[in-house]
């Protein structure tokens, strides 16, 4: 770890109890559990931000009907040799 900062947090009793169960089951420290949870949250937020950006960009420039027809034709052509049964 390049560096770290110590913080104090307050958790509701029920959340603390769940963290304790999790850390004991996984043989982890409280810090490791909280770090993992924060990293998951950060990845989740980043993913949602990228999805929002994609949707906004799509709304600005959706595909044309001609592009949809071309993509459909290519998909049918490319999948025509697949035995679906």
């Amino acid at each position: 770890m390049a560096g770290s900062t110590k913080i104090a947090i307050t958790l509701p009793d029920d959340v603390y109890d769940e963290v304790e169960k999790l850390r004991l089951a996984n043989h982890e420290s409280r810090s490791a559990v909280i770090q993992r949870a924060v990293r998951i949250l950060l990845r989740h937020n980043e993913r949602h931000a990228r999805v929002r950006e994609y949707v906004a960009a799509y709304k600005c420039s959706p595909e044309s009907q001609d592009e949809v027809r071309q993509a459909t034709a290519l998909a049918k052509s490319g999948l025509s040799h697949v035995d679906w049964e």
Side-chain angles (χ1 to χ4, degrees):
M1 192 180 309
S4 50
T5 303
K6 190 170 189 167
I7 63 170
I9 63 170
T10 302
L11 298 173
D13 290 340
D14 61 327
V15 175
Y16 175 81
D17 293 342
E18 291 296 320
V19 168
E20 286 298 293
K21 287 179 195 172
L22 185 62
R23 81 174 192 85
L24 292 171
N26 292 322
H27 308 286
E28 292 179 293
S29 66
R30 285 182 201 102
S31 290
V33 171
I34 300 301
Q35 288 171 27
R36 190 160 45 96
V38 170
R39 283 188 177 104
I40 290 168
L41 176 64
L42 294 172
R43 281 195 308 269
H44 174 82
N45 286 347
E46 177 62 28
R47 219 172 291 130
H48 278 273
R50 282 191 246 134
V51 168
R52 284 191 302 272
E53 289 174 16
Y54 174 82
V55 169
Y58 177 80
K59 286 180 178 179
C60 289
S61 183
E63 70 272 0
S64 68
Q65 287 300 318
D66 188 48
E67 289 170 322
V68 172
R69 280 191 289 280
Q70 289 175 9
T72 301
L74 283 171
K76 286 180 181 179
S77 171
L79 296 173
S80 63
H81 68 281
V82 175
D83 182 15
W84 294 97
E85 295 184 34

